[in-house]
Amino acid sequence: MRSPRRGTDKEMDSKDTELNKKDQNAENSLKKRLADEREKISVMDRAQKKRYFKDYYLLPTVIAVFVIFCIIWFLYDALLARKNVLYTGALVGCQVSDEGKRYLTEGFLEALGGREGKAEVVLSEDLWIAFSDEDLEKYQAADSNLYVNIAAGDFDYMLIDGAVIEQYASLEAFADLGEYVRKYQMSEDDIYLRDGKAIAVRLSGEAEEQAGITSFSGEVYLVIVDIKRDPTYEELLMEYILQER
């Protein structure tokens, strides 16, 4: 079988020359149009120039400015305005006051040494939770989304209503808090055990009041999501929430 015929060097040079000629012609054509346009405008008076611009250039100019504005806004939002998220929390079956939210976000950001305006601590609220078999069937889609968030490590810690702590403990996604139980000398009544591990600790009444948190059952448990743990921030969080001031 004969191999495909390849162009000779002479043929290749000829093709390159043709392409260069086309590019040069296009450039010359553009220059000629611009020269013709300048000549046409140069003989107009001010009123004619305004009318000519309005008829032929106003709409393209507005569109171009809008596109440039969108690009600049996108770059600003993506590169400059976006804050660095240092830590994230979530409330499940709990509510927090305005003061409590500031305590858990702006206050904790200050405790972490983060710069306001450059970094932030995020708190997700009003995450739906099922309290009965009927509710579980009705809102299972919302629960599934929350399970995905937990598995993906979207939350560093969670504050969970005591009525449903068991439901989420079955995910086996929470860290063993035994070292904090010993450090803060917590009683067995304030610990949620699973497979011999203290995966949740109950907030005292003073800690709940300090953080402005209330729950449906009256009990609030703190858990650490064992996915993307930051030991330094974690220790600061436990001290910030559990240490009475």
Side-chain angles (χ1 to χ4, degrees):
M1 178 181 291
R2 282 191 287 179
S3 59
R5 180 178 176 273
R6 296 182 179 178
T8 64
D9 292 341
K10 190 173 182 180
E11 290 173 337
M12 297 292 289
D13 291 340
S14 177
K15 289 180 180 179
D16 290 341
T17 301
E18 290 178 3
L19 291 174
N20 289 335
K21 284 182 178 180
K22 289 181 179 179
D23 291 340
Q24 188 174 3
N25 290 337
E27 184 178 353
N28 291 337
S29 177
L30 177 60
K31 288 181 178 179
K32 186 177 185 305
R33 286 200 300 269
L34 291 174
D36 292 342
E37 194 72 7
R38 283 197 298 268
E39 184 178 354
K40 185 190 301 184
I41 295 175
S42 65
V43 298
M44 297 180 183
D45 58 27
R46 181 175 296 181
Q48 290 173 326
K49 289 179 181 178
K50 287 183 178 180
R51 185 166 58 250
Y52 187 77
F53 175 80
K54 181 178 179 182
D55 293 341
Y56 293 97
Y57 291 104
L58 180 59
L59 182 58
T61 300
V62 171
I63 294 174
V65 170
F66 177 74
V67 171
I68 293 172
F69 173 80
C70 290
I71 293 173
I72 293 174
W73 180 262
F74 172 79
L75 293 175
Y76 173 79
D77 184 62
L79 303 177
L80 300 176
R82 187 165 296 176
K83 298 178 182 178
N84 179 31
V85 177
L86 297 183
Y87 218 64
T88 59
L91 301 180
V92 180
C94 302
Q95 295 178 330
V96 64
S97 64
D98 292 339
E99 293 79 7
K101 185 174 182 178
R102 285 192 292 271
Y103 178 82
L104 293 173
T105 54
E106 297 170 13
F108 189 48
L109 176 64
E110 184 178 350
L112 294 179
R115 292 178 57 189
E116 189 174 353
K118 297 293 184 181
E120 65 179 336
V121 171
V122 177
L123 181 66
S124 296
E125 301 179 72
D126 302 323
L127 300 179
W128 188 263
I129 186 65
F131 290 96
S132 65
D133 292 338
E134 181 180 352
D135 289 336
L136 181 60
E137 182 178 354
K138 184 176 180 182
Y139 297 105
Q140 59 183 345
D143 268 345
S144 297
N145 291 335
L146 187 52
Y147 294 155
V148 171
N149 291 139
I150 295 173
D154 291 339
F155 308 126
D156 293 298
Y157 76 94
M158 301 175 70
L159 293 165
I160 305 177
D161 187 344
V164 292
I165 183 64
E166 185 174 355
Q167 179 175 324
Y168 286 93
S170 63
L171 294 174
E172 299 183 358
F174 302 142
D176 183 2
L177 304 180
E179 61 178 296
Y180 300 109
V181 170
R182 293 185 290 272
K183 180 178 180 178
Y184 295 101
Q185 300 180 341
M186 306 185 76
S187 69
E188 293 184 359
D189 294 337
D190 295 327
I191 305 167
Y192 182 88
L193 295 172
R194 187 175 183 84
D195 298 329
K197 297 180 180 179
I199 65 168
V201 294
R202 184 169 61 183
L203 269 60
S204 66
E206 292 80 3
E208 288 185 27
E209 183 178 355
Q210 184 173 263
I213 301 172
T214 57
S215 69
F216 295 102
S217 69
E219 295 182 334
V220 178
Y221 281 85
L222 170 63
V223 302
I224 298 293
V225 179
D226 194 14
I227 305 294
K228 302 174 183 177
R229 297 174 67 182
D230 186 316
T232 301
Y233 286 178
E234 179 180 305
E235 290 179 9
L236 288 172
L237 174 79
M238 300 301 284
E239 179 180 353
Y240 188 76
I241 292 182
L242 300 179
Q243 191 78 36
E244 297 176 13
R245 287 166 174 72

